[in-house]
Amino acid sequence: MSEMKYCQGPKCHTYQTKDRIRGPKGAKHYQTRRRSYFSYLGGNACSMNCQDDWFRKFGEQALNHFGRIHEPIKLTEENAWVKDYDYDWQSGTRSNWRWVNHLNYQSIPMTKEQYDNPNYTRPRRSTVVVVEATNGKGKVIQKDILRF
Ligand SMILES: [Zn+2]
């Protein structure tokens, strides 16, 4: 059971719909909607109107507070990786967890644990070098695997 919360739209109470009416006869008023789930403003506003009202009133402040973008953010092959998996709608099962690069469409398999790990944000490429030592007859007597 999720908690009830109020729509954060600053003008929500001014939209005169039946579901916003509260109070006894003679003292009726409209009030801000309260729900356990909202679909707008990241789950904080009851409607597109309320979302827009919020942004009109607070958007500028929010941008200034969290920092503006002053130069372009670039999508390069290094940061174009997104996590993906296949979903079977009939059985409801997931499989084939992987990294997919949205620029070059390369794909790198991963485990479900890696998919669920929020700290695993980029595939790490490593070079594996196998060093083999041989005896005089060419027989491998030692094998080392080095990762870079
Ligand atoms: Zn609202």
Side-chain angles (χ1 to χ4, degrees):
M1 194 68 178
S2 54
E3 210 173 304
M4 296 285 275
K5 55 187 175 181
Y6 289 103
C7 169
Q8 295 301 301
K11 289 164 66 178
C12 191
H13 62 288
T14 68
Y15 299 113
Q16 301 180 13
T17 59
K18 277 184 184 171
D19 70 297
R20 288 180 171 96
I21 297 174
R22 292 290 185 284
K25 231 185 175 118
K28 295 237 185 277
H29 62 272
Y30 291 96
Q31 71 173 39
T32 299
R33 275 180 175 152
R34 190 182 189 213
R35 304 272 163 79
S36 57
Y37 176 82
F38 291 124
S39 299
Y40 299 88
L41 198 66
N44 289 294
C46 73
S47 66
M48 186 88 79
N49 270 340
C50 285
Q51 173 177 287
D52 290 346
D53 292 339
W54 187 93
F55 195 83
R56 241 172 257 123
K57 187 171 182 186
F58 301 115
E60 192 75 9
Q61 280 171 257
L63 285 171
N64 289 335
H65 177 77
F66 293 109
R68 287 175 177 275
I69 293 167
H70 292 291
E71 48 192 68
I73 301 170
K74 293 165 186 163
L75 182 66
T76 62
E77 288 198 3
E78 286 70 45
N79 66 16
W81 294 100
V82 293
K83 290 177 174 181
D84 200 6
Y85 60 81
D86 291 336
Y87 184 74
D88 187 309
W89 291 94
Q90 294 206 312
S91 63
T93 54
R94 299 171 185 196
S95 62
N96 193 20
W97 290 273
R98 62 193 181 272
W99 286 108
V100 175
N101 191 294
H102 277 197
L103 271 193
N104 62 23
Y105 301 103
Q106 282 184 1
S107 181
I108 301 174
M110 75 169 102
T111 64
K112 183 187 181 303
E113 286 68 34
Q114 288 172 326
Y115 183 92
D116 292 335
N117 182 350
N119 297 319
Y120 189 47
T121 55
R122 233 178 250 194
R124 198 176 66 176
R125 242 174 242 281
S126 60
T127 303
V128 175
V129 175
V130 179
V131 181
E132 292 177 339
T134 54
N135 64 15
K137 293 171 184 164
K139 185 172 186 275
V140 176
I141 55 171
Q142 191 184 334
K143 184 171 169 179
D144 294 298
I145 296 171
L146 306 173
R147 236 172 250 276
F148 300 97

